[in-house]
Amino acid sequence: MTRSAPQSSGRRLEDRIAWAVRNVDGVVAIGVALVIGLLEVLGSKIDPNIASGAILLVLAALVYGSLTERRRRVADIRTATEGTSRAIEDLAMVRTLSGAEVGLAHERARRNTARWVFKGGTGTYLRAVTLPQCVEEAKRQRRSLSMKIDILNPADDRVCTAYARFRRTFGHRHEVGAFPEWTTERTRKESYATVLAAAWHRQRLDTLEIDVHLSSVAPTLRFDLSDSCLIITQDDPRRVSLCVERDRPLYDYYVTELHQSREQAVKLDLREATPLSEEPTVDEVRRLFDRLDLPLPASFTDPDVGDIIDRALHAENPYRG
């Protein structure tokens, strides 16, 4: 208790000194004015030159204080402006896309990229458009290509059923008449088809490094990440999509997020894949999935396997005009 009083007194003295230093102009003006005023009150005769000098000194101190305050205000305005600029810049991290802009953004993202990371449901658009076009671009430019694909595990009935129910409930009706309704069986076939497409393309491009990860969590969004940007879409093309450029912090955040998601999924070793023909046969495909430790359901007939082959290598763009 005996030490706290001196310490608090010392802090108060330091605060007063600091205040006086910050407001030295005002202190000088008040001090001079008080001295001159007291002398006048006490009847002391003051030389007119001294009085004039004192007045000028007070005015100078006031002018100095005004200029200092103005500088402080300018600095405050500049700081506030910089903060606003940063806020606007952060908002600009995400660009909205709609309609044809989504397809154009994907097209730009595929140009000159050496990697592609996908996370979504069954990878229908990836299989129909992104994968073959990225492979063709890599062949044309004679460069390597790294692709990481994170889709639903077709062997997990629970997650396939949940995803099919989600697509039926919230999906866009654009597929009616062109594509069958989303069911558990269709979901499984679509995922199997993406695995088959990945293995097939890998065997036809030596510089293609492609990994497939199977997740037991049904996603509601799709993530497509290239060297230049990240595109986030939904199954309904009428809804607004998002684009994040590579030089934005959010891009790096999602690189980590997508990596962590793959770490929690089952990774297939496509190096163990059996050879596939230009037009794979039913037997080849059955052997492939057995070799990958992802056997096709016993209920899948040869026509079912043929359907998977067709979805893998002749998929239609589900969002074509």
Side-chain angles (χ1 to χ4, degrees), residues 136-150:
E136 283 303 312
E137 192 67 18
K139 287 180 179 178
R140 187 181 68 81
Q141 298 188 28
R142 298 187 175 219
R143 56 169 170 73
S144 62
L145 173 64
S146 172
M147 299 196 75
K148 298 186 184 300
I149 301 170
D150 188 346

Side-chain angles (χ1 to χ4, degrees), residues 189-204:
K189 285 184 176 181
E190 297 283 1
S191 281
Y192 276 120
T194 298
V195 175
L196 174 57
W200 188 87
H201 282 286
R202 185 181 183 277
Q203 293 181 11
R204 278 150 185 80

